[in-house]
Amino acid sequence: MVTPARVFRKFEGLFAVYKPSGIHWKLVRDNIEANLLKEINAAPPPAPKLEVRFQALPSRESGTSKALTMAAIQFPVLATSPQVRGPRYRTLKVGVGHRLDAFSSGVLVLGVGQANKALAEFYSSAVTRDYTLEGEFGMATDDFSATGRIIERTTFEHITLVKLEKILAMIQGGHQKALITYSGVDLQSQEAYELAAQGILHPQSKSPPILKGLRCIHFKPPHFTLEAQCVNETQHYLRKLVHEVGLELRSTAVCTGVRRTRDGLFGLQEALTRQHWTASDIQRTIKVHHSMLKDLKKAGNSGHAEEDAQPEQHYQQTGTGEHSTASITGTGSKQLHSAAKEAAENTPSL
Amino acid sequence: MFSTNMHVGQRCVRLLRGRIMSIITHPSTDCTAAPQQPLGGHTTTVKRMHSILAQHPVLHSGHISSQTTEGRLGVGGLRYCSVTQHRCQVKQSDCEEPEAKNVIIYEQAQAPSRKLPLTEMPAVIDLEDVPSLSALEEISDEEAIQILVPQALPPISFSLRDYVDQSETLTKLLQLGVDLWKLDQRRNVGSMLVRLDFQSDVAPRLLFLKDLGLQDGQLGSVITTNPFILTESLDKLKARVSYLKSKKFSTESIASMVCKAPYLLNFNVKRLDNRLGFYQDILGLNPGKTRDIITRLPRLLCRSLEPVKEILKFPQVLNSQFLRIKERHLFLKYLGRAQYDPAEPNYVSLERLVAVPNDVFCVSVALATEEDFERFQKTL
């Protein structure tokens, strides 16, 4: 008898999915759970068990002998037939990492079965997410998106790329200050400066959304595209950001698209598009991720241990004596974070 | 994992089973669970059973009728499922104290004799006669076989598995192809099915459906989707069918409609009339076209009309097909190949846009690779 652990083993892991715009994340999760269960229940169900019952055979003509003949006949026990029992597995634990609202699209990380523990750790770790925000000048709506109720219309001919970049730099400055405050480091120290220069600072406790990076990658009025790396964000906040950019430029702007291009280690290349939301493709992806993580661990243990350990330790010590810093938990998140840095540098350009 | 309600009475059931079985049968033999029981062992079990039941005067002949079983067991307010294949009783019942149940068995044997008026008592009874309670009493094989051991089916269960082997209705439904596990998950359906009698309730309705024109293979799926067709009154069903026939629906179309929308015949004539009228008026079609649409999509008659009215305002198809079409169209637009005008060159027919599978679409319609299409999907 194959145990459930064995059956689920090849499907348990973390993988990323490209969520299309207009669909609630829960529907994506349900769809994937249904596809995986279909594959798991695909094996032919066992035949009903047999049991022996005794039935009296009609007695023969002979009047004298009153001996009854009983025959042992095997009957299928209907309670064990597949029509009565139904499919063996009816639920599967599929968890979602950082959620995406219905309007946004992009990389959505999911975990199956035992990997939900790793998913929880991933969710609470300090990895950043990459977003592409598409905006349009000239309108302001109530929910900051292009489909909301229009509140205001303005002109935008006066907007230039220089002005936009100034505004973005100003916004980023504000967020840098917030980052330093929430990360609990003493800015006057040399160690804090080094950490900040390397970009390892991250908020230690619950913080509002913080943008670690913000720049404009496309500008053709009225359309423009921003790229942001952020922590603790919501997609609504990012749409509001676009709206505020418009306001700062003495005009108005509305967000026409929020697209997540990276969530921690999982980028666009690893994300599965809708036609690949099948059990076999998910299985393959999980296998690839397993080997990737193994390599990372090996590389991390051998090469980077020296370099990474020191600044991380310092970081933990730099926190002032009064409040305890929430420690960076173990090697796992260190790996993720350093790998995230690498991934950020090597983001596939589109 | 079955997510349906686990009744609180489960514990009671186990206690019940344990106690009653120990009284009625030999502790090691459970009539349902022991497949290979030698005949000798069976006889000893039955002998003890016989001795207990022999206290009841009517049982002297050694035969238990289902009616008496009911009357006898009705005393304590506790209802059993009797073993006779023709009747299966209540699935849920009140759960009483096990000690009380313990006592009931012995009381039952004595109580009726007190209740029977003197005139009706059979002449066989000698009130001073002490009935022999000996378990070693020898009886012939025929008598032994004729004694039916009431298999103690659980009065409460969360699944139909416990009743399938004993219930004629459930066995026959299984043979028809009904998915009992699907019906298990619905709240009151299981109890309802167990209470039905095959000969008087189920069979006439099955024959009715067959007369309608449904094939044997289709009966199973219809009952799986709509088990309540077995409790609908036959007169009403026939009235609704005759109403549809009066609206000039052919017999084949009625059969196919019932197959596609099993709940159709559960709606009363007034409601069906309302719906047909709505589609005829609002859509502004002649009766023939309405008939054609309803024959193809009988679920329009079953569902509520509000979503239909909404869809009429915004004729969008909100499902995965729509997403697919949108992505493909945007891809073609990006490549500059979104040509839907038949007059122009490089025309892409709607069928090729929608129906064709992905790889064929990418290669022949969009003239690009599947990787390109995937990369484009990730930019949306």
Side-chain angles (χ1 to χ4, degrees):
Chain A
M1 188 70 224
V2 187
T3 56
R6 257 239 183 125
V7 167
F8 294 146
R9 200 192 292 166
K10 42 188 185 173
F11 298 106
E12 283 177 349
L14 286 179
F15 60 97
V17 135
Y18 192 89
K19 183 186 97 67
S21 162
I23 303 184
H24 197 272
W25 61 264
K26 196 162 183 293
L27 290 178
V28 173
R29 193 213 73 89
D30 291 341
N31 194 346
I32 286 179
E33 186 186 343
N35 288 348
L36 288 175
L37 276 174
K38 207 166 43 166
E39 173 68 23
I40 288 170
N41 287 323
K49 293 188 186 156
L50 299 172
E51 75 166 4
V52 173
R53 290 185 215 162
F54 296 96
Q55 283 208 327
L57 293 179
S59 51
R60 311 231 166 170
E61 285 295 317
S62 50
T64 48
S65 67
K66 280 207 171 173
L68 277 168
T69 42
M70 297 284 283
I73 307 171
Q74 282 196 319
F75 281 94
V77 177
L78 293 173
T80 56
S81 81
Q83 262 179 296
V84 180
R85 301 186 81 170
R88 174 102 200 265
Y89 303 104
R90 300 202 192 181
T91 53
L92 185 62
K93 283 191 182 162
V94 177
V96 176
H98 297 107
R99 297 181 288 271
L100 272 173
D101 65 356
F103 171 75
S104 327
S105 61
V107 175
L108 184 68
V109 177
L110 299 162
V112 176
Q114 295 294 320
N116 281 313
K117 298 175 194 168
L119 185 70
E121 209 185 288
F122 171 74
Y123 183 81
S124 53
S125 70
V127 289
T128 57
R129 284 162 288 289
D130 253 5
Y131 284 88
T132 308
L133 306 167
E134 275 147 51
E136 193 181 318
F137 290 121
M139 282 195 293
T141 54
D142 57 351
D143 66 352
F144 316 125
S145 74
T147 51
R149 186 174 58 93
I150 298 175
I151 294 175
E152 201 181 324
R153 280 194 194 273
T154 55
T155 57
F156 50 85
E157 284 82 17
H158 59 278
I159 301 177
T160 61
L161 183 60
V162 171
K163 286 186 193 167
L164 177 63
E165 284 182 347
K166 254 196 220 172
I167 299 295
L168 294 181
M170 190 192 80
I171 291 173
Q172 198 176 352
H175 279 269
Q176 282 279 43
K177 283 196 196 141
L179 178 62
I180 292 166
T181 321
Y182 281 96
S183 62
V185 292
D186 180 13
L187 196 56
Q188 302 304 317
S189 58
Q190 176 64 17
E191 294 94 350
Y193 167 74
E194 278 170 14
L195 287 175
Q198 287 170 10
I200 306 175
L201 286 179
H202 60 88
Q204 294 293 329
S205 52
K206 280 216 163 190
S207 78
I210 288 178
L211 299 174
K212 286 198 173 181
L214 183 62
R215 65 182 180 129
C216 174
I217 54 177
H218 174 72
F219 181 77
K220 194 174 171 191
H223 300 284
F224 65 100
T225 312
L226 304 176
E227 194 188 60
Q229 286 90 37
C230 39
V231 167
N232 285 338
E233 84 293 350
T234 55
Q235 287 80 45
H236 178 83
Y237 177 80
L238 296 168
R239 289 199 288 277
K240 195 171 165 196
L241 178 78
V242 171
H243 168 88
E244 279 166 5
V245 161
L247 289 179
E248 293 287 342
L249 286 165
R250 309 273 191 273
S251 174
T252 49
V254 99
C255 181
T256 51
V258 175
R259 207 174 104 238
R260 187 192 278 165
T261 47
R262 182 184 60 78
D263 187 348
L265 269 179
F266 300 96
L268 282 176
Q269 267 189 346
E270 290 86 28
L272 296 171
T273 46
R274 227 170 61 249
Q275 55 263 33
H276 295 302
W277 291 355
T278 58
S280 50
D281 285 313
I282 291 171
Q283 216 179 319
R284 209 183 315 130
T285 319
I286 286 172
K287 240 182 173 175
V288 165
H289 288 330
H290 273 319
S291 45
M292 207 168 73
L293 277 172
K294 253 193 212 170
D295 296 337
L296 263 179
K297 268 192 184 164
K298 270 192 210 158
N301 288 339
S302 56
H304 299 277
E306 299 271 331
E307 297 171 10
D308 277 347
Q310 276 177 358
E312 300 295 349
Q313 277 168 12
H314 276 282
Y315 187 13
Q316 281 168 2
Q317 285 160 17
T318 322
T320 51
E322 286 95 287
H323 56 240
S324 55
T325 56
S327 59
I328 305 162
T329 51
T331 4
S333 46
K334 252 191 270 177
Q335 300 299 334
L336 282 168
H337 199 72
S338 55
K341 264 196 302 172
E342 290 168 23
E345 288 149 33
N346 311 337
T347 318
S349 57
L350 256 163
Chain B
M1 222 173 71
F2 302 97
S3 55
T4 50
N5 2 311
M6 283 271 266
H7 291 271
V8 172
Q10 273 294 100
R11 254 191 90 234
C12 292
V13 167
R14 269 186 234 122
L15 287 166
L16 200 191
R17 247 197 182 145
R19 297 281 178 147
I20 303 308
M21 292 311 275
S22 63
I23 294 160
I24 291 179
T25 61
H26 192 272
S28 62
T29 57
D30 185 62
C31 297
T32 48
Q36 274 156 10
Q37 221 181 86
L39 188 54
H42 197 71
T43 327
T44 49
T45 311
V46 166
K47 277 182 208 164
R48 199 191 284 186
M49 181 59 211
H50 174 81
S51 60
I52 291 168
L53 296 172
Q55 291 172 38
H56 193 327
V58 179
L59 294 174
H60 255 275
S61 57
H63 175 68
I64 306 172
S65 66
S66 51
Q67 281 85 11
T68 47
T69 332
E70 280 173 59
R72 203 160 50 84
L73 299 177
V75 169
L78 180 73
R79 279 168 318 145
Y80 274 41
C81 285
S82 72
V83 130
T84 55
Q85 299 258 325
H86 306 295
R87 215 164 276 276
C88 201
Q89 289 289 318
V90 179
K91 183 169 168 171
Q92 296 176 15
S93 75
D94 309 318
C95 187
E96 295 179 339
E97 292 304 314
E99 291 78 39
K101 285 173 192 150
N102 211 334
V103 173
I104 282 169
I105 298 299
Y106 291 108
E107 274 181 355
Q108 278 158 25
Q110 292 153 25
S113 58
R114 264 180 262 136
K115 280 188 179 172
L116 282 173
L118 278 166
T119 47
E120 286 184 7
M121 284 228 267
V124 178
I125 291 179
D126 182 358
L127 290 173
E128 284 164 352
D129 185 22
V130 177
S132 58
L133 272 171
S134 168
L136 301 172
E137 182 186 330
E138 294 261 348
I139 55 171
S140 67
D141 279 345
E142 286 121 340
E143 277 184 311
I145 281 159
Q146 280 163 20
I147 291 171
L148 297 163
V149 182
Q151 302 191 33
L153 290 170
I156 304 174
S157 171
F158 65 91
S159 158
L160 282 171
R161 282 180 294 170
D162 298 320
Y163 303 99
V164 142
D165 285 296
Q166 269 80 38
S167 164
E168 188 197 1
T169 317
L170 293 177
T171 317
K172 293 269 163 72
L173 286 178
L174 204 63
Q175 284 162 6
L176 270 178
V178 176
D179 279 331
L180 288 179
W181 64 273
K182 284 187 191 165
L183 296 176
D184 251 348
Q185 298 179 319
R186 297 165 68 170
R187 241 183 295 177
N188 296 314
V189 172
S191 305
M192 181 198 83
L193 288 178
V194 157
R195 286 194 196 107
L196 291 176
D197 175 58
F198 188 76
Q199 297 303 330
S200 59
D201 301 326
V202 181
R205 284 166 184 84
L206 291 177
L207 288 170
F208 164 78
L209 288 173
K210 282 201 83 171
D211 286 337
L212 215 53
L214 286 178
Q215 308 298 323
D216 286 343
Q218 295 171 322
L219 288 172
S221 72
V222 166
I223 297 174
T224 309
T225 315
N226 178 19
F228 303 107
I229 206 170
L230 300 172
T231 50
E232 199 70 25
S233 109
L234 262 177
D235 301 324
K236 287 188 187 168
L237 289 174
K238 286 181 182 160
R240 287 156 199 170
V241 171
S242 60
Y243 165 77
L244 287 174
K245 283 196 177 144
S246 76
K247 293 287 170 186
K248 298 185 196 150
F249 281 95
S250 72
T251 333
E252 297 88 30
S253 55
I254 296 179
S256 85
M257 277 159 68
V258 173
C259 195
K260 283 189 202 172
Y263 276 99
L264 186 68
L265 293 180
N266 279 47
F267 291 104
N268 57 23
V269 174
K270 189 172 164 196
R271 199 158 169 202
L272 289 176
D273 196 36
N274 253 353
R275 295 277 152 85
L276 283 172
F278 170 80
Y279 286 111
Q280 196 153 325
D281 300 332
I282 302 297
L283 297 179
L285 303 169
N286 64 31
K289 281 197 179 163
T290 322
R291 244 176 279 140
D292 183 45
I293 285 186
I294 299 292
T295 314
R296 281 189 293 138
L297 302 166
R299 275 192 223 168
L300 289 172
L301 286 181
C302 298
R303 296 288 171 82
S304 86
L305 293 174
E306 291 309 314
V308 179
K309 289 174 187 162
E310 285 296 315
I311 288 171
L312 284 174
K313 288 184 208 164
F314 308 102
Q316 304 160 5
V317 181
L318 301 162
N319 52 17
S320 63
Q321 284 288 339
F322 169 63
L323 257 179
R324 221 167 82 111
I325 297 168
K326 188 170 123 186
E327 284 177 353
R328 284 185 174 187
H329 164 69
L330 288 171
F331 189 47
L332 291 178
K333 203 161 133 191
Y334 174 75
L335 293 172
R337 285 188 232 276
Q339 181 57 262
Y340 303 119
D341 188 355
E344 303 287 321
N346 291 332
Y347 161 64
V348 175
S349 71
L350 277 178
E351 197 215 328
R352 289 220 293 166
L353 177 71
V354 176
V356 145
N358 251 356
D359 37 7
V360 177
F361 171 79
C362 290
V363 172
S364 58
V365 183
L367 304 172
T369 59
E370 275 198 73
E371 288 85 28
D372 293 335
F373 184 52
E374 273 175 45
R375 254 181 261 148
F376 177 76
Q377 275 182 309
K378 293 181 187 177
T379 64
L380 293 174

